[in-house]
Amino acid sequence: MENSNDPKVNRRSFLQYALAGGAATGVANLTIMKDLFAQAPAGPIVIGHHVELTGGFASWGYWHDKAARKAVDLINQGGGIAKRKVVLATEDTESNPASGARKLRNLIQRANAEFVMGSVHSGVMLAAIPIATELKTIYMSMGEATEATGSKGTRYSFRTGMDTYSIAAAGVPWCMENLGKNWTVIYADYAWGQSHFQETKVIVEKLGGKVVGNIPVPLDAKDFVPYLTQIPAETQVVFSIFFGSLSVAFYTQSKSMGIGKRAKMYSVSGTLEAIAPADIEGAAEGVYILENFPRMLKYKDDGFHKEHNKIMELDDIDAREAGSKRIMAKSHAWQSWEDLYTLKAAIETSGYKTRKDTEGVIRALEGLPMKNSLGHPQGDKLLRKEDHSGILDCYISLIENGRFEVKKKIPKEDLAKNMPVRHDLSKMPV
Amino acid sequence: MTNTLIALSINGLVWGLIIALIALGLSVIFGLLDIINLSHGDFFMIGTVIAWTVLTTTGSFWPAFLLAPLVGFVLGALIQRIVLQPIRNAAALSIVATFGLSMILQEVVRMTFGPTPRRILPPIRGTFDLFGIDYEIYRLFAAAVSILALAAFFLFLHHTKLGTWMRAVRHDPETATAMGIPAQRVYRVTFGLGFALAALGGVVASPITTVDFRAGVDVLPFCFMAVIIGGLGNLPGTAAAAVLLAFLEGIISSFATPTVARIASLVLMSAVLLLRPQGLFKGLTK
């Protein structure tokens, strides 16, 4: 016998629940969409910062966070963006792609960030771009994996800084001419290191050189002896791609094994970012490094750079923070400062009011020139229209007596010439 | 080729001995307390930070060999009392607790020591020619310290009253308690010793690797592999497995890519789990 109180689902109750559920979902959706698309234009403009405050990239994240906060203060003191006060919403990615993806949704859907300055961690950045695109939010990438403005780029992903493609295009030609033609690439075996290896190999071979050694190193390596003994004898240039403690361990152990005596050592700024060569007891002495914002003021000696250092509380030699031992992640963290000014220019040019005007900002960013100024202390640059990539000046420095001594400036025009457009993101739908 | 093979084999032995020292602490804690300690790598990290602090404050590296295990022992005993004793009977909770402890230790070090990795110069400088490669003299010293520490620990375990108590509590805690052995105190000492061994490993390894708040994250998987291959809680087995693993990786690295060498270690671990889940060295003294 059927009990009238039986909680079993019948056709009538199913329809009731379905209608109620549908109505609730509709209301929730309308509320979210209202937040996303109909924010009052007179209110503050919320810009999200997707940053590594903890985890493996914490030493960089500190500087990205500080640069963003200082730049927001400056912008607000100058009247904000389009006369609207800027509110910075910050989320810690924990240097972890899974956490980063979740935090990005928080930024956009809960904190109502209308634009996001993105992660410097390539894994987090690549996890974030599809989400930002799905939520129709501009994401200013800062990691170096080329895919963000290449095969995995979208109309919403931009990068004012450098990627593995532009780093190879900027540094390899000079190194081939001055350091040697037989290269060994030794790198952290994940997306960032692999991407560097692939991009570098292409340019080395294109310029008539040879990659004689390809040595991926597991991320949990502590002992480098098995990897360093793999470097072929005919190697003239050892190109190393590590970051943080792995980088210090590499320099320490390669120094003790005398690798630098039989080959020239070359690397990218990321390997010594947030680290003063003097603090690692000379382990990186004699290494050539590709920078994009000289560690020492004297190599880009102008008032904007000087004022930037002053606001960031840096000394002009090591970029060390006053009253602490921290060294600024200088070739990366400027993006958190400059990207705010880049967004400001694009928002004001396009007449952006609400999220429905995002397409106008995208069009304004595509091909946006930036002038050397306090807003852009790294220097003149261009956000190339087709691949949304930064075209900027770079510097090859040699670590001498614990300092980054610039040996060659690579002008942005040379960089642009060496890195033809491979992906046209500007033709993708918004 | 032959020279490289010999050099990498010797290096594997040397590195394996250092890892054995760290992994032994993990095995001690599991063997006696049944705790899968996910914060063990951070105990190693604390050792490296103590070494760096001692060096920068006193100008000498040597006191760290004494101070780090002492501080480690005290911290370990405190952690056992405050964090683990209240959840003694819940194995699953201990995994969560030690994972949380790991995060706390990392973040405390990040906030105090800072997030930037540091380098310690070896207290014994210089290299010598080891079958064609420049090899640091300090590594041989580090291996010697590891052998001494391992030997001292096994002597302690088998020839002291406390060591006998530890083995008795491991064998049968109820009977040991009935015989008047203070089990809670033994647990505390055991956890302290586990921490002290890892901290000493940190001091020994710090001039070779780096000092960094996340240094322990990378060490932990290798230690777990040694403990699994050696047999959970099997102390001599763990030490032998650590040496075997590093030795194996050293040899394979001489003719294949280092990544293949790492894969080989993982395959070995999987094979042991599949065919000898009790570990390769069953039968050795626990």
Side-chain angles (χ1 to χ4, degrees):
Chain A
M1 196 172 79
E2 195 173 297
N3 185 341
S4 59
N5 293 326
D6 192 340
K8 269 188 199 168
V9 176
N10 55 34
R11 190 166 51 189
R12 178 173 294 178
S13 67
F14 173 78
L15 283 172
Q16 282 172 344
Y17 289 133
L19 281 172
T25 308
V27 170
N29 195 36
L30 280 173
T31 309
I32 291 166
M33 298 308 275
K34 173 177 158 286
D35 286 343
L36 286 179
F37 295 110
Q39 185 171 333
I45 189 162
V46 181
I47 295 184
H49 198 196
H50 198 216
V51 63
E52 287 65 40
L53 297 179
T54 56
F57 274 80
S59 60
W60 299 26
Y62 171 84
W63 288 103
H64 282 263
D65 183 50
K66 183 169 182 176
R69 289 178 193 282
K70 296 284 184 188
V72 164
D73 289 347
L74 268 180
I75 288 172
N76 282 334
Q77 282 162 24
I81 294 179
K83 296 181 181 167
R84 291 166 69 185
K85 186 186 171 190
V86 179
V87 171
L88 189 70
T90 303
E91 280 281 6
D92 175 17
T93 68
E94 301 166 22
S95 308
N96 177 313
S99 302
R102 184 167 45 83
K103 300 292 185 75
L104 180 64
R105 287 191 185 276
N106 285 356
L107 269 180
I108 299 171
Q109 293 180 317
R110 292 191 186 170
N112 291 321
E114 292 157 81
F115 307 92
V116 175
M117 297 194 300
S119 168
V120 75
H121 183 298
S122 289
V124 174
M125 171 185 79
L126 292 176
I129 289 170
I131 297 168
T133 304
E134 172 202 327
L135 299 174
K136 298 188 180 301
T137 304
I138 290 171
Y139 189 86
M140 305 296 289
S141 302
M142 295 186 206
E144 286 180 357
T146 192
E147 291 86 345
T149 47
S151 58
K152 291 181 181 166
T154 73
R155 204 71 191 276
Y156 291 86
S157 61
F158 292 86
R159 173 165 41 207
T160 54
M162 301 189 77
D163 64 346
T164 52
Y165 180 35
S166 61
I167 286 169
V172 172
W174 185 88
C175 292
M176 288 281 289
E177 208 171 290
N178 295 279
L179 305 184
K181 293 195 184 301
N182 287 346
W183 287 49
T184 285
V185 186
I186 179 165
Y187 55 96
D189 195 11
Y190 80 110
W192 179 60
Q194 291 158 0
S195 184
H196 267 296
F197 169 71
Q198 283 152 11
E199 297 295 345
T200 302
K201 186 171 186 284
V202 168
I203 297 190
V204 166
E205 288 174 351
K206 191 176 145 193
L207 296 175
K210 204 171 160 191
V211 175
V212 294
N214 165 21
I215 308 174
V217 177
L219 282 175
D220 61 353
K222 288 280 179 206
D223 178 22
F224 271 77
V225 171
Y227 314 115
L228 293 171
T229 51
Q230 301 271 318
I231 296 173
E234 66 267 36
T235 301
Q236 293 171 307
V237 181
V238 175
F239 180 42
S240 61
I241 303 294
F242 300 103
F243 79 94
S245 60
L246 209 55
S247 182
V248 176
F250 167 77
Y251 285 128
T252 300
Q253 294 178 40
S254 58
K255 182 94 177 169
S256 70
M257 286 181 69
I259 303 297
K261 288 181 202 158
R262 57 185 173 97
K264 300 283 186 189
M265 307 279 283
Y266 168 62
S267 193
V268 296
S269 61
T271 61
L272 277 178
E273 204 66 306
I275 298 170
D279 290 349
I280 54 170
E281 311 289 346
E285 203 64 17
V287 178
Y288 289 87
I289 300 280
L290 184 86
E291 298 183 275
N292 57 47
F293 196 6
R295 186 82 61 106
M296 291 170 76
L297 174 74
K298 72 176 182 181
Y299 292 113
K300 184 185 174 288
D301 195 4
D302 61 36
F304 304 126
H305 188 176
K306 197 166 193 166
E307 184 63 13
H308 167 267
N309 280 4
K310 193 176 155 198
I311 294 168
M312 292 293 287
E313 304 162 290
L314 305 177
D315 75 35
D316 296 333
I317 306 290
D318 293 323
R320 194 184 296 273
E321 188 179 42
S324 85
K325 288 180 179 162
R326 292 175 189 273
I327 304 290
M328 181 174 176
K330 206 165 174 188
S331 283
H332 290 84
W334 60 263
Q335 293 171 84
S336 291
W337 173 297
E338 288 203 8
D339 283 357
L340 281 157
Y341 282 90
T342 306
L343 286 169
K344 174 179 162 67
I347 289 167
E348 290 175 349
T349 307
S350 67
Y352 173 90
K353 296 252 184 309
T354 67
R355 279 181 145 285
K356 64 179 170 45
D357 304 321
T358 300
E359 185 173 349
V361 181
I362 291 172
R363 291 189 191 285
L365 284 171
E366 289 174 340
L368 184 79
M370 290 156 262
K371 292 296 292 176
N372 186 32
S373 59
L374 185 55
H376 297 284
Q378 187 275 337
D380 290 343
K381 62 180 68 62
L382 171 76
L383 197 46
R384 193 156 66 176
K385 181 184 175 187
E386 293 85 357
D387 57 4
H388 295 188
S389 293
I391 305 292
L392 60 160
D393 294 337
C394 303
Y395 304 82
I396 295 196
S397 302
L398 175 64
I399 308 298
E400 284 179 321
N401 302 315
R403 292 179 176 178
F404 283 73
E405 302 285 356
V406 172
K407 297 296 168 188
K408 171 74 180 168
K409 178 178 175 180
I410 315 286
K412 59 183 183 307
E413 293 76 16
D414 287 4
L415 172 61
K417 199 170 65 188
N418 292 339
M419 53 175 291
V421 172
R422 298 189 297 194
H423 298 270
D424 192 347
L425 305 178
S426 68
K427 287 185 179 156
M428 294 175 85
V430 173
Chain B
M1 177 68 185
T2 314
N3 279 355
T4 309
L5 179 70
I6 297 169
L8 288 179
S9 305
I10 294 171
N11 181 64
L13 274 174
V14 167
W15 187 246
L17 284 164
I18 299 170
I19 292 290
L21 186 60
I22 307 161
L24 188 66
L26 187 68
S27 196
V28 166
I29 290 170
F30 179 82
L32 198 73
L33 307 176
D34 284 336
I35 286 172
I36 296 173
N37 180 18
L38 296 184
S39 60
H40 193 73
D42 303 293
F43 298 172
F44 161 84
M45 177 269 290
I46 299 278
T48 66
V49 172
I50 292 172
W52 188 83
T53 310
V54 167
L55 180 64
T56 49
T57 49
T58 67
S60 171
F61 183 74
W62 301 112
F65 282 101
L66 189 64
L67 269 176
L70 274 178
V71 174
F73 180 82
V74 174
L75 280 177
L78 275 174
I79 288 169
Q80 197 281 334
R81 175 67 190 86
I82 297 166
V83 181
L84 297 168
Q85 192 172 311
I87 55 164
R88 171 79 186 106
N89 297 320
L93 271 182
S94 74
I95 294 176
V96 178
T98 55
F99 182 66
L101 182 64
S102 165
M103 287 198 289
I104 291 168
L105 290 174
Q106 283 178 37
E107 287 308 303
V108 167
V109 172
R110 185 182 67 80
M111 284 189 291
T112 50
F113 169 78
T116 308
R118 310 274 175 191
R119 180 193 179 199
I120 290 178
L121 285 175
I124 300 169
R125 307 278 178 86
T127 57
F128 66 98
D129 188 284
L130 179 71
F131 296 95
I133 65 169
D134 284 343
Y135 202 71
E136 277 185 301
I137 297 168
Y138 176 77
R139 286 186 179 236
L140 295 185
F141 171 77
V145 171
S146 302
I147 291 171
L148 278 177
L150 290 168
F153 181 78
F154 285 114
L155 282 175
F156 162 80
L157 203 61
H158 291 280
H159 297 282
T160 65
K161 189 168 82 173
L162 196 55
T164 310
W165 282 4
M166 283 169 69
R167 286 184 295 128
V169 172
R170 161 76 179 133
H171 186 69
D172 188 342
E174 285 80 19
T175 309
T177 309
M179 300 288 287
I181 294 173
Q184 281 303 332
R185 204 187 307 163
V186 171
Y187 291 145
R188 207 162 302 146
V189 168
T190 304
F191 202 84
L193 279 175
F195 198 137
L197 284 168
L200 180 61
V203 175
V204 171
S206 60
I208 300 170
T209 62
T210 54
V211 184
D212 176 48
F213 78 105
R214 287 177 58 80
V217 176
D218 303 328
V219 164
L220 191 63
F222 203 87
C223 290
F224 266 116
M225 281 164 66
V227 171
I228 290 167
I229 291 173
L232 289 169
N234 182 343
L235 305 184
T238 299
V243 174
L244 175 72
L245 273 175
F247 184 70
L248 185 76
E249 283 201 11
I251 290 175
I252 296 175
S253 296
S254 65
F255 58 83
T257 69
T259 309
V260 169
R262 178 52 51 86
I263 291 168
S265 294
L266 290 167
V267 168
L268 175 65
M269 187 182 75
S270 307
V272 169
L273 279 174
L274 205 63
L275 304 172
R276 284 183 67 88
Q278 71 276 32
L280 269 186
F281 300 97
K282 190 193 172 193
L284 291 175
T285 313
K286 285 192 179 183

